[in-house]
Amino acid sequence: KQSAYKLSFERIAKVKPMIQNVVSTSDLNTILDLKKIALKAKNSEYNPKRFHALILRSRDPKATALIFKSGKMVCTGTKTESEAKEASLKFLKVVKQAGFTKASLKSYSIRNIVATCDYKSSINLDPIFFGYRDQCMVLKNNLVRARNISWAPISS
């Protein structure tokens, strides 16, 4: 007879995470005139009174870039690491076409990957929290966050 722990572990091992979002950052290696880029680029938003970054959107791959005057870029919304790189290169091309020909993709890095999975039953978070309380902290809205891992209670 297998222990309840082993059965639970085997059940968890069958759960397949689904990537929802990949976030990457890079430096375009030049100071940018965001207004100039916004006027020349399609699918762009720039309202410096509201937010100090240019927002560019791409349909294929589906992605959004936040580009700052400093040349720093955050790319989000892709589902794979290769799509994140492809989208970053596409946004770099848009910047170059707007007249910033010296721009290049420097210090490219994947910063975060968000994935979800369906365990198909409720999970008691208390033993996890108490077992790892040194690495955890409780947030205002009953979320528990550990280093690089977030849990949220699932409401039925």
Side-chain angles (χ1 to χ4, degrees), residues 8-128:
S8 180
F9 179 78
E10 288 174 358
R11 199 165 153 203
I12 291 170
K14 291 178 185 175
V15 173
K16 300 287 185 227
M18 304 241 329
I19 294 177
Q20 302 297 325
N21 188 28
V22 177
V23 179
S24 67
T25 59
S26 54
D27 185 351
L28 299 179
N29 207 24
T30 189
I31 300 298
L32 302 169
D33 179 347
L34 301 179
K35 186 175 180 181
K36 180 179 177 182
I37 299 169
L39 291 171
K40 293 188 177 193
K42 295 178 183 176
N43 299 316
S44 67
E45 293 176 41
Y46 183 54
N47 184 349
K49 289 179 182 175
R50 196 171 138 222
F51 185 56
H52 290 286
L54 169 68
I55 302 169
L56 292 178
R57 298 187 198 285
S58 165
R59 287 193 181 132
D60 187 30
K62 185 178 178 197
T64 300
L66 303 176
I67 302 177
F68 296 86
K69 180 182 177 179
S70 64
K72 304 287 189 211
M73 178 171 69
V74 178
C75 181
T76 185
T78 58
K79 300 281 187 181
T80 66
E81 292 180 53
S82 60
E83 280 183 1
K85 181 76 170 204
E86 181 185 347
S88 294
L89 291 169
K90 193 171 190 175
F91 293 129
L92 170 64
K93 185 177 177 182
V94 169
V95 170
K96 283 185 169 191
Q97 288 174 341
F100 298 90
T101 55
K102 291 185 180 180
S104 62
L105 205 61
K106 180 182 159 193
S107 305
Y108 177 82
S109 177
I110 299 292
R111 293 299 179 145
N112 192 19
I113 298 175
V114 176
T116 59
C117 55
D118 185 358
Y119 187 60
K120 303 210 185 306
S121 69
S122 63
I123 299 171
N124 184 356
L125 297 178
D126 288 339
I128 296 169

